[in-house]
Amino acid sequence: MLDPDNGLSLTIARIVQRLKGSSLHSQLERQARISLHKPEIKLESLKEDIKDFLKTSGWEKKLQNAVYSELNVFPSPCHPAAPPEHMKEPLAYMRKAQGSWEKRILKSLNSMCTELSIPLAQKRPVSEQKELLNKWNEMGTDEPDLSLFRPVYAPKDFLEVLTNLRNPNYENGEQPSFRSHLGLIQVPLKVKDIPELKEDFSELGLNIGQLGIDDSAQVPPEFFENEHVRVGQKVLAEQDSAAAQQYVRQGCPTALRADLWALILNISNQPEDILYYEQLKSNVIQHDLLVDSLIYKDVKLTASNDDYYFVFEDYLYQVLLCFSRDTSVLEHFTYSSATPPKSYIRGKLGMEEYAVFYPPNVAPLCFLYHEPSKLYQMFREMYVRFFFRLHSISSHPSGIVSLCLLFETLLQTHLPQLFYHLREIGAQPLRISFKWMVRAFSGYLATDQLLLLWDRILGYNSLEILAVLAAAVFAFRAVNLMEVTSLAAAEAVLADLSTLKVMPLLQIFLFATVT
Amino acid sequence: FRIMAGKVKWVTDIEKSVLINNFEKRGWIQVTENEDWNFYWMSVQTIRNVFSVETGYRLSDDQIVNHFPNHYELTRKDLMVKNIKRYRKELEKEGSPLAEKDENGKYIYLDFVPVTFMLPADYNLFVEEFRKNPSSTWIMKPCGKAQGKGIFLINKLSQIKKWSRDSKTSSFVSQSSKEAYVISLYINNPLLIGGKKFDLRLYVLVSTYRPLRCYMYKLGFCRFCTVKYTPSTSELDNMFVHLTNVAIQKHGDDYNHIHGGKWTVSNLRLYLESTRGKEVTNKLFDEIHWIIVQSLKAVAPVMNNDKHCFECYGYDIIIDDKLKPWLIEVNASPSLTSSTANDRILKYNLINDTLNIAVPNGEIPDCKWNKSPPKEVLGNYEVLYDEEMAQSDGPDRDLRSRSGQSTGVKGNRARDSGKPVLTTWK
């Protein structure tokens, strides 16, 4: 067992190490130096005076936010003697599974390259570079021939891999009984039950005001909405990350959401951030990656056909193409079990490595941010904090494996008849809900509902709510689902989620269902 | 009172499923125009015939039609502008605070139509205005056409001269009012979303002009251009950049048949609230309601308020990048063609709610009824303005609320004028 004091000092040491040399660090130093000119700074009490100055000028708050951000992102340290892979992912069989999965993806990519005689990466000829630069804001109108490109993998493939995960040290026993888990996921990870979830998500309780419920047209705004907006404005004025995170658990007013999310994720859009984005953009212009075509095809198939997101098609290309070249994203590998992949773009192109990501969810963010570099940063931060866990195999409670298991367990425990019925007709519930969770419901819910859901992801710093919502949806449609007799019919019942109101569903499932 | 004498007999010139399905679901009976009919969904040609001196005939008490006889006072581009200009001058003459002008001589509350001239009648006035801003762009629109037909942009006087020369030498001469054009200052700074230009289509139902009673359909939509907007002069000829009409856009390479380039108004609201804030968004929507009501008030005095008539208009509105809404035009026969599945549902429901208001209980109508439907039948319509109710709340309220621009309250001037709360759309 780790001595608690030891743990704390380890954490402090790690955070100090990470913040040292960051731009915040140099800004603080600069501010401290500037303050020396101020009359209130006296030589005899130099340290105290500078500290006071940093406090009153708001810089201490920024430092607090940065520390808070680091705490949120990184797992607590374990034993000092643990090797780095163990820090990333403590379970060996999970590491192994993620490794094989990555190998499989890369193999698929490589064979696509060979088949189509296209290199993984190449430098663009100058004329093409010029053309792309001109077209940068309207790549949506391009019509390249993408028919030969297949997606590297579909959610179904990923689900197959997860279904086949086994812990070699765990003996399942001969006979499945009513106590055994009847779902697709067969690894013994610990997931929460409803009493624990009720405690974790206590702010969603029935007697607490929520946006998404208590701001509907029938409720006079004096009851909750007006006060909530006022508090939100105050939180923004104080620029306090931790307070913001607590606040959004009850939902963000639409007008405040963009700023609140940026505050929680500690995004400030400094000049160096804009510069970084421009640099990524020039990388895109100069080099053509095979992954680009895959991204292009995916966006064309999804967002450009979507009622809400088609307007932002061009932004999506810009963000995703830059994202696939962002090596700083690889940093997140230090706390995920996914190791930097073995495929490199050979040194002469000047790019070290990149990874293949399942094209993630940019589109909803376009409703909040229309300035490209800010949009990019928000998206990247959301990805490295949360969404990457949906695409890699790990034992983390917010990892896709845990979410799937949580979903199945909730359903089997609280709607056993429904679960059994669906299983009997060959419609394992996870087969339907997997695609919702892996995309964090983007593309399935109405945008305003999706944003309310993502408010809570940020507020609780966890993706578990996705599994709870998935179970709540099944509970909501339980009556219809009990009558279907095939997987196709079950899919049909659950095909259209665009009219669902997320918060009432969650509240009822967690707090108003007899357990 | 009458006993149920039978089912409503209907006729239509417009063979669209969204109409016919609605008639049939009410159990109404289709007849021809020569038979006894109760409800006739007419084309604009037919309404002209019905009320014309030579071919017209009197409608009986149990007959209802879907156009006002002289709807063109609102729906022809030149007459709409003429009526609004007249209305403003009248208000100015009576010293109404609504007609207040700013230091540049622009109306503060009533400047919602871009500067417009009739051609060829006001040609010289236009040239004078053009010379004041020689770098401006103007849009030429034929008065009698729809769906973007015949529209083009100019930015040089020589282009007009060429056009007028061409039209004189060809067989159609600009004498007949059908070939009259209007030329308006082109709004070259439209609000862009995702870099694309869009306009708003809103449906407004008028059941009577005097007293004015009108309803706004909550489910309007935005129509996006498929091509990125650019004010560049090299693209002035590219109608895919400038004209949002679906009839034009759907021939573009990038037209998408699933969403049809349309967004709901609630999406627009969400986007604007998220990126611009709630107050400015509320103000924008309040202004949109305002300009619709003002346009109706402007034509109310000249409208033939025939009691057999109601009308559902399609309002086209453009928002500029300062979040100011502009009234572009009003359509008497908004398209009932559906370009996507969602579209079909929307238009079906639009007609359904319209019929519920115009033909109460789906029974044989009596045009003498008071045209005051109960709240329950409004469906997706909301009362936009009810003159009777506004007057019963006191005549002064109407004017007093105008002078306070953004009062900081959900400053809904229409609300202050006594009609039921038309709050921000949820």
Side-chain angles (χ1 to χ4, degrees):
Chain A
M1 266 333 244
L2 195 56
D3 171 14
D5 286 333
N6 223 337
L8 182 59
S9 47
L10 261 180
T11 307
I12 294 177
R14 194 194 64 220
I15 292 181
V16 166
Q17 193 198 18
R18 277 191 57 82
L19 290 180
K20 233 185 189 128
S22 71
S23 78
L24 179 64
H25 186 189
S26 44
Q27 279 169 6
L28 282 169
E29 275 187 351
R30 201 181 323 139
Q31 286 299 315
R33 236 177 284 130
I34 290 174
S35 76
L36 291 175
H37 297 292
K38 296 200 179 289
E40 56 265 23
I41 309 288
K42 303 207 182 1
L43 192 55
E44 27 319 337
S45 50
L46 189 63
K47 194 164 172 192
E48 291 311 314
D49 288 347
I50 291 187
K51 271 211 245 174
D52 282 337
F53 166 73
L54 288 176
K55 191 180 261 177
T56 49
S57 56
W59 281 97
E60 189 192 44
K61 193 44 52 80
K62 290 201 175 66
L63 181 59
Q64 265 181 345
N65 289 344
V67 172
Y68 190 69
S69 187
E70 295 291 326
L71 281 176
N72 264 331
V73 163
F74 285 89
S76 16
C78 36
H79 199 276
E85 314 86 75
H86 187 80
M87 289 255 297
K88 293 182 225 159
E89 168 55 62
L91 297 180
Y93 73 91
M94 288 280 184
R95 291 203 294 269
K96 192 152 167 261
Q98 173 67 9
S100 332
W101 173 240
E102 280 173 22
K103 271 205 206 84
R104 191 172 135 182
I105 293 180
L106 290 166
K107 191 158 164 230
S108 175
L109 254 191
N110 280 325
S111 66
M112 204 189 298
C113 289
T114 325
E115 234 178 79
L116 303 174
S117 325
I118 299 176
L120 263 178
Q122 62 184 351
K123 199 163 164 61
R124 269 187 236 274
V126 174
S127 59
E128 211 185 291
Q129 286 187 30
K130 266 213 201 86
E131 205 192 311
L132 184 56
L133 194 55
N134 281 338
K135 272 207 317 252
W136 181 254
N137 288 325
E138 43 187 7
M139 285 186 264
T141 53
D142 237 359
E143 291 272 347
D145 180 11
L146 298 170
S147 51
L148 297 173
F149 290 97
R150 312 176 300 275
V152 177
Y153 68 91
K156 270 208 309 253
D157 304 321
F158 192 41
L159 180 57
E160 277 312 302
V161 171
L162 300 184
T163 312
N164 292 327
L165 275 177
R166 293 289 181 277
N167 181 348
N169 294 333
Y170 184 74
E171 183 50 61
N172 240 340
E174 301 291 333
Q175 295 294 338
S177 70
F178 73 89
R179 263 194 235 140
S180 52
H181 183 76
L182 297 174
L184 293 175
I185 304 293
Q186 293 292 330
V187 286
L189 294 175
K190 182 160 184 354
V191 292
K192 300 187 178 135
D193 57 14
I194 288 204
E196 285 171 307
L197 289 169
K198 269 161 104 150
E199 225 181 275
D200 279 356
F201 293 117
S202 57
E203 289 86 352
L204 302 183
L206 292 167
N207 55 342
I208 300 187
Q210 298 295 329
L211 288 185
I213 297 177
D214 302 296
D215 55 335
S216 72
Q218 294 85 21
V219 180
E222 302 84 58
F223 279 11
F224 167 70
E225 199 181 347
N226 286 349
E227 180 60 20
H228 190 64
V229 171
R230 240 184 24 85
V231 173
Q233 285 162 340
K234 197 150 178 283
V235 168
L236 278 176
E238 299 282 311
Q239 282 291 294
D240 188 329
S241 274
Q245 188 165 329
Q246 178 66 32
Y247 172 79
V248 305
R249 292 179 181 186
Q250 291 168 273
C252 287
T254 41
L256 304 180
R257 182 175 277 127
D259 290 333
L260 282 167
W261 284 20
L263 179 56
I264 294 173
L265 296 178
N266 212 21
I267 303 280
S268 49
N269 212 25
Q270 301 291 326
E272 59 258 26
D273 300 314
I274 302 180
L275 203 59
Y276 188 78
Y277 173 74
E278 290 298 321
Q279 210 169 350
L280 288 175
K281 177 177 161 181
S282 70
N283 265 343
V284 176
I285 304 284
Q286 285 170 16
H287 297 108
D288 183 9
L289 298 183
L290 174 68
V291 176
D292 293 348
S293 305
L294 300 173
I295 290 174
Y296 202 84
K297 183 158 189 168
D298 185 77
V299 173
K300 268 277 177 244
L301 285 177
T302 54
S304 53
N305 287 331
D306 185 296
D307 287 339
Y308 296 96
Y309 304 132
F310 72 89
V311 174
F312 303 117
E313 187 184 340
D314 298 324
Y315 288 171
L316 303 191
Y317 298 123
Q318 293 175 22
V319 170
L320 290 173
L321 290 181
C322 286
F323 186 71
S324 62
R325 289 156 174 79
D326 193 341
T327 50
S328 78
V329 172
L330 298 178
E331 219 185 41
H332 91 264
F333 287 137
T334 60
Y335 57 89
S336 121
S337 59
T339 55
K342 302 297 184 288
S343 151
Y344 289 66
I345 301 172
R346 294 305 157 195
K348 63 177 173 160
L349 293 182
M351 287 178 60
E352 285 294 304
E353 48 201 35
Y354 73 101
V356 181
F357 307 105
Y358 189 86
N361 330 307
V362 190
L365 293 171
C366 294
F367 265 84
L368 301 175
Y369 308 101
H370 50 242
E371 202 271 311
S373 84
K374 184 133 194 212
L375 173 63
Y376 181 75
Q377 278 189 80
M378 285 301 297
F379 164 67
R380 180 179 64 178
E381 196 59 32
M382 292 283 281
Y383 187 78
V384 301
R385 259 208 223 194
F386 302 111
F387 295 141
F388 81 94
R389 296 197 196 280
L390 299 171
H391 311 141
S392 47
I393 302 175
S394 78
S395 60
H396 195 276
S398 274
I400 188 69
V401 184
S402 304
L403 296 183
C404 289
L405 188 58
L406 176 58
F407 163 74
E408 288 187 320
T409 310
L410 284 174
L411 214 56
Q412 187 176 341
T413 313
H414 300 285
L415 292 155
Q417 226 184 347
L418 175 64
F419 193 99
Y420 197 75
H421 167 72
L422 289 173
R423 189 170 166 273
E424 282 298 289
I425 62 171
Q428 275 277 6
L430 185 58
R431 291 206 190 283
I432 302 175
S433 65
F434 185 69
K435 55 187 182 292
W436 304 336
M437 292 192 286
V438 104
R439 292 199 99 114
F441 281 89
S442 150
Y444 296 101
L445 295 173
T447 307
D448 64 320
Q449 295 300 311
L450 185 79
L451 293 172
L452 288 169
L453 179 66
W454 287 16
D455 284 341
R456 273 73 180 191
I457 292 180
L458 282 163
Y460 290 102
N461 199 31
S462 146
L463 293 170
E464 284 160 316
I465 201 134
L466 297 177
V468 180
L469 179 61
V473 171
F474 272 74
F476 184 60
R477 298 252 167 104
V479 172
N480 292 356
L481 285 170
M482 282 305 288
E483 295 181 3
V484 302
T485 50
S486 70
L487 172 60
E491 299 257 22
V493 169
L494 295 166
D496 183 10
L497 307 185
S498 60
T499 52
L500 291 185
K501 299 277 178 252
V502 159
M503 297 318 299
L505 279 185
L506 284 170
Q507 236 186 20
I508 291 175
F509 186 76
L510 284 175
F511 295 97
T513 307
V514 177
T515 53
Chain B
F1 66 103
R2 70 179 73 231
I3 304 169
M4 263 300 291
K7 299 270 169 74
V8 172
K9 303 199 200 69
W10 61 272
V11 188
T12 181
D13 296 333
I14 309 207
E15 299 286 327
K16 290 285 176 208
S17 58
V18 296
L19 279 172
I20 298 180
N21 291 345
N22 265 301
F23 301 146
E24 289 179 349
K25 93 159 182 187
R26 285 167 169 73
W28 293 359
I29 303 172
Q30 184 173 20
V31 298
T32 67
E33 58 172 8
N34 303 310
E35 298 170 66
D36 268 339
W37 53 263
N38 305 114
F39 186 89
Y40 196 149
W41 190 278
M42 297 180 170
S43 68
V44 289
Q45 282 76 14
T46 310
I47 191 81
R48 200 178 17 239
N49 294 339
V50 168
F51 282 91
S52 85
V53 176
E54 301 94 15
T55 60
Y57 52 92
R58 282 197 66 178
L59 294 174
S60 45
D61 283 356
D62 62 353
Q63 292 187 308
I64 296 218
V65 298
N66 65 319
H67 288 295
F68 285 93
N70 57 343
H71 61 81
Y72 41 80
E73 295 284 351
L74 180 63
T75 58
R76 261 184 66 109
K77 302 169 183 52
D78 53 348
L79 296 180
M80 178 189 85
V81 173
K82 200 174 94 192
N83 281 311
I84 290 177
K85 284 183 179 174
R86 188 209 78 241
Y87 172 69
R88 294 198 294 218
K89 282 249 150 21
E90 275 167 10
L91 286 176
E92 214 177 326
K93 240 190 308 190
E94 7 169 310
S96 161
L98 297 190
E100 207 180 312
K101 285 183 175 166
D102 66 13
E103 57 283 358
N104 297 322
K106 279 220 168 303
Y107 289 100
I108 301 182
Y109 307 111
L110 297 177
D111 176 35
F112 54 85
V113 175
V115 175
T116 302
F117 299 98
M118 327 297 170
L119 293 184
D122 298 335
Y123 182 71
N124 291 325
L125 287 171
F126 159 70
V127 171
E128 210 185 301
E129 186 68 34
F130 181 87
R131 293 209 164 110
K132 284 191 210 157
N133 282 313
S135 59
S136 53
T137 306
W138 295 74
I139 182 164
M140 283 279 284
K141 298 192 258 197
C143 290
K145 296 218 175 81
Q147 302 195 323
K149 293 198 193 92
I151 297 187
F152 58 98
L153 299 177
I154 61 132
N155 62 348
K156 292 204 249 307
L157 270 183
S158 53
Q159 292 162 328
I160 295 258
K161 293 192 175 128
K162 178 176 184 303
W163 164 80
S164 84
R165 216 175 36 235
D166 286 347
S167 61
K168 282 203 178 78
T169 56
S170 61
S171 50
F172 67 90
V173 183
S174 50
Q175 306 300 348
S176 80
S177 65
K178 225 179 170 175
E179 299 313 324
Y181 274 69
V182 290
I183 186 162
S184 307
L185 188 59
Y186 184 61
I187 298 162
N188 64 356
N189 61 332
L191 176 66
L192 302 179
I193 297 186
K196 303 193 175 83
K197 176 176 167 180
F198 69 98
D199 77 346
L200 274 180
R201 160 54 61 92
L202 300 170
Y203 296 103
V204 178
L205 170 63
V206 177
S207 50
T208 145
Y209 273 99
R210 292 186 301 275
L212 179 59
R213 194 167 294 131
C214 52
Y215 307 86
M216 170 101 126
Y217 203 62
K218 286 191 252 187
L219 306 179
F221 50 88
C222 307
R223 297 176 294 207
F224 281 87
C225 293
T226 51
V227 177
K228 272 266 182 318
Y229 180 76
T230 167
S232 142
T233 47
S234 60
E235 290 290 343
L236 277 185
D237 294 329
N238 186 347
M239 289 299 120
F240 293 114
V241 170
H242 295 284
L243 297 187
T244 54
N245 315 66
V246 174
I248 299 223
Q249 292 294 334
K250 72 181 193 202
H251 296 294
D253 289 332
D254 290 302
Y255 184 73
N256 181 297
H257 290 271
I258 296 181
H259 52 68
K262 291 182 178 167
W263 243 19
T264 59
V265 163
S266 50
N267 263 353
L268 175 66
R269 228 205 151 100
L270 176 65
Y271 176 81
L272 288 177
E273 276 185 17
S274 303
T275 53
R276 304 275 196 137
K278 202 153 182 155
E279 289 78 39
V280 304
T281 306
N282 285 347
K283 180 160 171 285
L284 169 67
F285 281 92
D286 284 349
E287 275 181 37
I288 291 176
H289 303 156
W290 170 256
I291 67 184
I292 294 176
V293 171
Q294 292 306 308
S295 69
L296 293 172
K297 283 191 162 188
V299 300
V302 304
M303 270 300 189
N304 178 347
N305 194 32
D306 193 302
K307 56 190 191 294
H308 302 94
C309 307
F310 71 92
E311 202 153 19
C312 179
Y313 298 106
Y315 269 74
D316 291 343
I317 298 208
I318 286 199
I319 304 172
D320 71 17
D321 60 11
K322 300 193 181 31
L323 287 199
K324 181 182 161 71
W326 295 94
L327 176 57
I328 300 302
E329 67 169 347
V330 185
N331 293 284
S333 291
S335 158
L336 295 176
T337 315
S338 314
S339 51
T340 67
N342 282 341
D343 213 32
R344 198 179 337 269
I345 295 173
L346 181 136
K347 289 181 179 161
Y348 177 86
N349 288 330
L350 172 70
I351 300 297
N352 186 42
D353 292 338
T354 304
L355 293 178
N356 283 343
I357 293 178
V359 186
N361 299 322
E363 288 167 359
I364 294 186
D366 177 359
C367 69
K368 293 212 216 59
W369 79 293
N370 67 356
K371 308 216 184 204
S372 245
K375 229 169 41 165
E376 301 81 61
V377 312
L378 293 184
N380 287 314
Y381 274 110
E382 267 182 337
V383 177
L384 179 59
Y385 184 69
D386 187 334
E387 191 169 2
E388 242 172 15
M389 270 220 268
Q391 275 164 357
S392 65
D393 282 352
D396 294 308
R397 270 191 115 209
D398 206 52
L399 294 179
R400 228 186 302 129
S401 59
R402 298 298 180 264
S403 1
Q405 190 85 3
S406 27
T407 54
V409 182
K410 265 187 186 179
N412 192 324
R413 281 159 279 176
R415 184 207 294 187
D416 287 337
S417 68
K419 70 163 183 55
V421 169
L422 184 65
T423 52
T424 58
W425 315 117
K426 285 285 179 186

